[in-house]
Amino acid sequence: MKEGRTGERMTAEINEQPEVLAGLVETRAEIATVARSITERSPRFALLIARGSSDHAALYAKYLIEILLGLPAGLASPSTTTLYDARPDLRDVLVVTVSQSGSSPDLLEATASAKAGGALTLAVTNTPASALHDVAEFSVQIRAGQELAVAATKTYSATLLALYLLVDAARGGSGEHVRDIGELARQALRESSEGVERAVERYRFADRLITTARGYSFATALEAALKLTETSYLATRAYSGADLLHGPVAAIDTDTAVLAVTSEGKGGGAMWDVLDAVSGRGADVLTVGSAAASVPASLSIPLPETAEEIAPILEVLPVQRLALGLALARGFDPDRPRGLHKVTRTR
């Protein structure tokens, strides 16, 4: 098989996202049917199981579930089951397993164990024929199509949207905030292009970077750190804006670059004190989001304004482009990160 150009796969899959997202919205009725089946069972708690990028999507879902549904939610630790053989009582608990491949042994074992413990189980996956689909009682397909680049791009944004559609339907919503998400994604990619190019030139020689956000957007900060680390090998740490002020801010100085995700809403509004603190320590600040242009920063990448709860679906798009651009500028192939494979099997 002939090798493609460096970064060709990741580039193509980033660009596919508007179409993928628009297509997923068209399946809203199907996802709403699953949501109704779940709400009829009246779960008292939601537990989310995931790894890697899917774990960041699960964190986004945790915010959605707690804020929009008023239901307590938590992130599971699969190793409590796979390594320590814990078998908690999960009666009346909704367990949502998020996995692009649906094949990692630890996620399969944790889901099967949860089902045996009385949980209502739901798989959110890009692989309809996966083992996870067979293990869980219900499933939601993210329909992103085959993803060839190692770094997750279209599967990540599609997972966010699928989780949003599920939670929105569970609260009785009509999906109105994401009705035009395909066009919004297309606009976000188009209008952020120049800002991403400037950011690549500015940070191509950076040694370390911190990503930060609050609220729904914290998932974007985590995903940004992962994408930058795995594609361009840039040492990157993610912090909640609140946690950053509780200690790590002391390590920030003029040699530190900070990527702050700042979208309109309560989460973005809570970032002002964080940005004041890091700017005061001399950090070079890049802001990304619908409120990016309204906060002090060295460089900003504004995005279309949306309801705060769906902002992460758009925020991640220029972040993916930034990771791609920095990898190429630093001489690496983001399609083939060293030591990584598309499907990671852990236990």
Side-chain angles (χ1 to χ4, degrees):
M1 178 179 172
K2 185 179 179 180
E3 294 290 340
R5 294 187 303 274
T6 302
E8 182 178 43
R9 290 176 174 177
M10 187 174 177
T11 300
E13 288 164 359
I14 289 173
N15 293 337
E16 289 173 21
Q17 288 174 103
E19 182 178 354
V20 167
L21 296 173
L24 184 55
V25 169
E26 292 179 359
T27 71
R28 194 192 73 82
E30 181 181 323
I31 295 174
T33 298
V34 175
R36 283 193 297 272
S37 297
I38 291 171
T39 55
E40 286 171 0
R41 303 274 282 271
S42 300
R44 59 181 173 83
F45 188 88
L47 193 61
L48 297 126
I49 305 174
R51 293 286 194 197
S53 287
S54 294
D55 200 37
H56 306 154
L59 176 65
Y60 169 66
K62 179 180 185 297
Y63 275 87
L64 290 173
I65 291 167
E66 292 189 339
I67 297 169
L68 304 185
L69 299 183
L71 192 67
L75 300 178
S77 300
S79 61
T80 62
T81 296
T82 61
L83 300 184
Y84 297 97
D85 200 33
R87 295 292 183 266
D89 180 358
L90 295 177
R91 287 172 293 180
D92 301 323
V93 174
L94 169 64
V95 169
V96 182
T97 305
V98 186
S99 173
Q100 295 154 18
S101 69
S103 62
S104 186
D106 52 353
L107 302 186
L108 293 171
E109 185 176 341
T111 305
S113 175
K115 190 175 183 180
L120 170 63
T121 53
L122 168 68
V124 179
T125 177
N126 193 45
T127 312
S130 68
L132 180 61
H133 175 83
D134 294 333
V135 169
E137 183 174 353
F138 295 100
S139 65
V140 167
Q141 308 304 323
I142 69 171
R143 303 178 186 275
Q146 186 179 16
E147 189 172 60
L148 298 175
V150 171
T153 53
K154 63 179 182 177
T155 53
Y156 179 74
S157 60
T159 299
L160 296 184
L161 179 55
L163 289 166
Y164 174 76
L165 288 169
L166 180 76
V167 174
D168 181 61
R171 67 167 173 175
S174 64
E176 61 178 326
H177 292 315
V178 292
R179 189 168 291 123
D180 299 321
I181 194 66
E183 181 52 41
L184 287 170
R186 192 169 290 108
Q187 180 184 348
L189 285 170
R190 181 177 64 249
E191 296 181 355
S192 66
S193 180
E194 185 178 338
V196 169
E197 289 179 6
R198 291 199 303 268
V200 168
E201 287 304 309
R202 190 176 188 93
Y203 301 112
R204 62 184 299 179
F205 298 114
D207 292 322
R208 60 192 177 104
L209 190 146
I210 285 174
T211 65
T212 183
R214 296 208 54 186
Y216 294 108
S217 297
F218 182 38
T220 309
L222 289 164
E223 180 64 8
L226 174 59
K227 283 291 162 287
L228 290 164
T229 300
E230 70 180 347
T231 58
S232 62
Y233 317 140
L234 174 59
T236 310
R237 289 287 303 273
Y239 294 98
S240 153
D243 288 335
L244 185 60
L245 296 181
H246 274 271
V249 70
I252 292 177
D253 55 26
T254 55
D255 293 326
T256 309
V258 175
L259 190 165
V261 188
T262 52
S263 287
E264 295 289 349
K266 294 180 179 179
M271 287 295 294
W272 280 84
D273 288 346
V274 180
L275 293 174
D276 284 344
V278 297
S279 296
R281 297 191 62 82
D284 189 294
V285 179
L286 165 65
T287 54
V288 175
S290 58
S294 63
V295 294
S298 306
L299 185 63
S300 62
I301 301 177
L303 294 172
E305 185 175 350
T306 64
E308 182 180 6
E309 66 208 44
I310 67 163
I313 301 171
L314 299 185
E315 292 164 351
V316 75
L317 304 181
V319 165
Q320 294 169 350
R321 281 252 182 97
L322 177 62
L324 169 66
L326 283 175
L328 296 175
R330 292 158 72 93
F332 306 122
D333 184 355
D335 286 344
R336 302 169 184 82
R338 59 195 183 207
L340 297 180
H341 303 281
K342 184 59 184 171
V343 178
T344 302
R345 301 179 185 277
T346 52
R347 188 174 187 277

